[in-house]
Amino acid sequence: MRYAPLTLTTLASLVPSEIDAEVRITDEGVDEVEVDRMEADLVGITAITGTAPRAYEIAARLRQRRIPVVLGGVHPTLMPEEAMRHADSTVVGYAEESWPQLLRDFVAGRMSPRYDQSPNLRLDNLPFPQRELYNSGLVNVAHTIEATRGCIFQCDFCVVPAAWGKPLQKPVADVVADIRQMKAKRVIFLDLNLIADVAYAKELFTALVPLKIQWGGLATTTIAWDDELLDLAARSGCRGLLIGFESLNQASLNETRKSFNMRHDYHEVVQKIRDRRIALMGCFVFGFDHDTLATFDETVDFVMETHMDLPRYAVAVPFPNTGLYKKLKAQGRITTENWGLYDGQHVVFEPKNMTAAELLENTRRAWKKTYSYLSMWKRLSGSRTQLPIAIPANLGYRFYAYHLDTFYNCDWQLAPNA
Ligand code: B12
Ligand code: SF4
């Protein structure tokens, strides 16, 4: 289920042309990093929260060998002071301006310990990501693209408002030019909420129509409020949407500042999307303060009733510096700050209406119940949307559901000090 991230290929494209640099990139999610044999003048490492300890370990080993290290990405943006303790320089926020500046400073022998995103950053006229540097044989989808960054909403658990603030957009013409030069017929948009600005989304979808591509991306339930937008998405080739339903409980949605989710009934949202032959990956989070032991079965019942194409569950994660983190921290309910466990597969806080073990066990049960062969057959025969994509995707998720212990950083287990 892996698709190519654009982080390193984007950074590679930003290396100023006057610097005679040989750039190599490695994605440790799918490949080996030869830390102790690597030769380089400068190494940049990207870190999300769950991979931060590993990034710090690699940084320490390289710095021991006197190879300078730059850290950047979501986690260093959320926790800059912490990241700075592990690097020669840290890039906070988006790096379209600061990374080229850092490299020029490095060449001139005056690299600063920290570079911040400029408040006036724009995403116009940027070079295309250097996708050819990424070993795309190692992922299922190589043609990924980005049109926008950020989101207009302020959901309490989300890293987007905490890390990046106001939304940014690439000119639609640049996005279209990138798709054309990729010669891709199927693309995935990595934008966290492609429809955050509805007018922009309509302009983008209209421009995609003549390309005759098929695409998937992330949106919110608000897409179902606007039939014109949904029709345009379908006409432009949208075949799959990932939508964060998060919870079936209005109190949980209100608590997490995602109350806009329930303005329309979820059944209606699913139906409207299905009517356009768009497959739906619905994401649900367990462990909010209003969740009870009944929440798990209610959620599984909902995905079965609505014949959801590809449901996905996660344990709530209070990513550092988010509203959820600050609340739980103030209440003394964060049980570990081992960031390696902040991956949606571990319980890192004290839940309210259940124990940490119950939260973990019931999430695991929900995965297995949803991805039993019988459940898969019932959901997909009721949905019949994009079956050539939905069947292999379900088999992939079934494998994940039945091998949760073997994914990511450690076993699917309670945090050691939880
Ligand atoms: C592709 C993707 C994946 C892929 C690949 C992940 C990977 N490790 O590479 C897959 C599908 C495997 C995946 C899985 C997961 N993901 Co993911 N993923 C993304 C996604 C959609 C796109 C990343 C991307 O390419 N962005 C485009 C680039 C250009 O932006 P960028 O990475 O922010 O980089 C810019 C700056 O941050 C900066 N920068 C970044 N790194 C560096 C490094 C240096 C040296 C410098 C100078 C600058 C710099 O420069 C870039 C240009 O401005 C992001 C959301 C997003 N749109 O960013 C989530 C995101 C990164 N994922 C997230 C999460 C939570 C996960 C999972 C834990 C989900 C889960 N429960 O399973 C797993 C963890 C997997 C793992 N252990 O790595 C969160 C991270 C939150 C956090 N604080 O940790 C994000 C932000 C989504 C979200 N909703 O919040 N993911
Ligand atoms: S709508 Fe999605 S991307 Fe936007 S703030 Fe909420 S969770 Fe984050």
Side-chain angles (χ1 to χ4, degrees):
M1 303 298 290
R2 291 250 173 192
Y3 40 86
L6 285 172
T7 311
L8 301 179
T9 49
T10 299
L11 292 169
S13 73
L14 296 169
V15 176
S17 55
E18 75 271 16
I19 298 178
D20 182 24
E22 183 199 335
V23 181
R24 262 179 281 157
I25 66 180
T26 315
D27 176 358
E28 206 184 23
V30 285
D31 208 351
E32 293 290 317
V33 178
E34 298 196 324
V35 184
D36 298 321
R37 283 198 282 150
M38 186 188 296
E39 295 297 334
D41 297 312
L42 182 70
V43 173
I45 307 177
T46 183
I48 65 171
T49 301
T51 61
R54 174 66 181 156
Y56 297 158
E57 182 202 327
I58 295 175
R61 279 160 59 185
L62 291 170
R63 293 173 85 202
Q64 236 170 24
R65 295 174 51 219
R66 304 204 176 285
I67 298 178
V69 171
V70 181
L71 284 171
V74 190
H75 188 73
T77 298
L78 293 167
M79 301 292 286
E81 277 82 22
E82 176 191 287
M84 286 171 75
R85 291 198 291 276
H86 299 273
D88 297 282
S89 183
T90 298
V91 174
V92 181
Y94 299 130
E96 273 67 15
E97 288 178 359
S98 47
W99 176 234
Q101 183 58 47
L102 179 152
L103 292 172
R104 289 190 183 103
D105 290 352
F106 175 74
V107 170
R110 49 159 198 261
M111 184 170 74
S112 301
R114 172 170 173 163
Y115 291 80
D116 282 87
Q117 176 187 329
S118 139
N120 305 318
L121 178 69
R122 295 175 60 90
L123 300 182
D124 300 9
N125 298 319
L126 290 170
F128 300 133
Q130 288 194 1
R131 297 182 182 86
E132 66 283 3
L133 293 180
Y134 188 85
N135 187 352
S136 54
L138 299 172
V139 290
N140 310 57
V141 184
H143 294 130
T144 48
I145 188 159
E146 241 194 328
T148 65
R149 301 239 176 102
C151 182
I152 47 167
F153 296 115
Q154 301 281 326
C155 306
D156 201 38
F157 53 83
C158 181
V159 301
V160 178
W164 293 305
K166 72 174 174 111
L168 296 171
Q169 293 155 353
K170 292 185 178 175
V172 165
D174 292 5
V175 179
V176 169
D178 195 6
I179 297 174
R180 282 194 195 282
Q181 65 87 29
M182 271 197 276
K183 296 191 173 50
K185 282 291 156 203
R186 290 204 176 98
V187 300
I188 290 194
F189 281 92
L190 298 183
D191 312 46
L192 284 162
N193 180 8
L194 191 55
I195 59 153
D197 177 337
V198 171
Y200 175 88
K202 286 183 179 171
E203 187 192 339
L204 175 68
F205 298 164
T206 307
L208 294 182
V209 175
L211 301 185
K212 298 195 182 337
I213 57 165
Q214 298 187 343
W215 64 267
L218 286 72
T220 53
T221 54
T222 58
I223 197 165
W225 304 358
D226 187 332
D227 286 340
E228 187 194 349
L229 179 65
L230 205 44
D231 286 337
L232 262 176
R235 272 183 51 219
S236 68
C238 179
R239 296 291 179 268
L241 283 176
L242 182 155
I243 290 192
F245 289 89
E246 324 299 6
S247 177
L248 296 175
N249 183 335
Q250 186 67 60
S252 294
L253 292 168
N254 294 347
E255 163 202 330
T256 58
R257 303 181 75 189
K258 199 154 185 173
S259 44
F260 60 84
N261 247 10
M262 276 300 206
R263 196 179 118 181
H264 281 227
D265 179 68
Y266 276 176
H267 289 83
E268 190 187 341
V269 172
V270 177
Q271 195 52 51
K272 282 191 161 203
I273 292 172
R274 173 150 319 126
D275 288 347
R276 272 81 176 178
R277 313 281 310 146
I278 297 172
L280 185 56
M281 179 196 269
C283 298
F284 298 86
V285 177
F286 295 127
F288 294 131
D289 279 359
H290 289 85
D291 288 358
T292 64
L293 287 176
T295 303
F296 302 94
D297 283 337
E298 275 165 26
T299 311
V300 175
D301 290 349
F302 172 77
V303 304
M304 295 305 302
E305 261 164 53
T306 53
H307 307 288
M308 181 90 59
D309 300 283
L310 200 61
R312 187 190 161 117
Y313 308 113
V315 172
V317 186
F319 287 113
N321 226 359
T322 56
L324 180 61
Y325 175 84
K326 288 178 189 161
K327 181 184 96 177
L328 293 174
K329 183 86 177 164
Q331 295 173 353
R333 291 167 60 197
I334 299 278
T335 50
T336 177
E337 290 192 344
N338 172 358
W339 304 134
L341 303 176
Y342 281 56
D343 59 1
Q345 296 210 149
H346 295 85
V347 182
V348 297
F349 65 99
E350 269 170 31
K352 205 162 196 175
N353 294 318
M354 61 192 86
T355 64
E358 284 169 336
L359 172 53
L360 200 65
E361 196 39 49
N362 282 288
T363 306
R364 188 205 302 256
R365 203 171 50 80
W367 269 108
K368 287 195 172 164
K369 209 168 155 190
T370 305
Y371 285 93
S372 71
Y373 282 121
L374 183 63
S375 300
M376 279 170 26
W377 180 81
K378 280 188 184 159
R379 281 188 293 102
L380 295 184
S381 56
S383 159
R384 301 190 164 275
T385 309
Q386 307 301 333
L387 286 180
I389 305 172
I391 293 172
N394 265 268
L395 289 170
Y397 264 32
R398 179 185 154 84
F399 183 81
Y400 175 70
Y402 283 80
H403 296 82
L404 292 169
D405 288 344
T406 59
F407 276 85
Y408 300 139
N409 302 326
C410 348
D411 290 348
W412 176 278
Q413 61 185 12
L414 284 179
N417 54 346

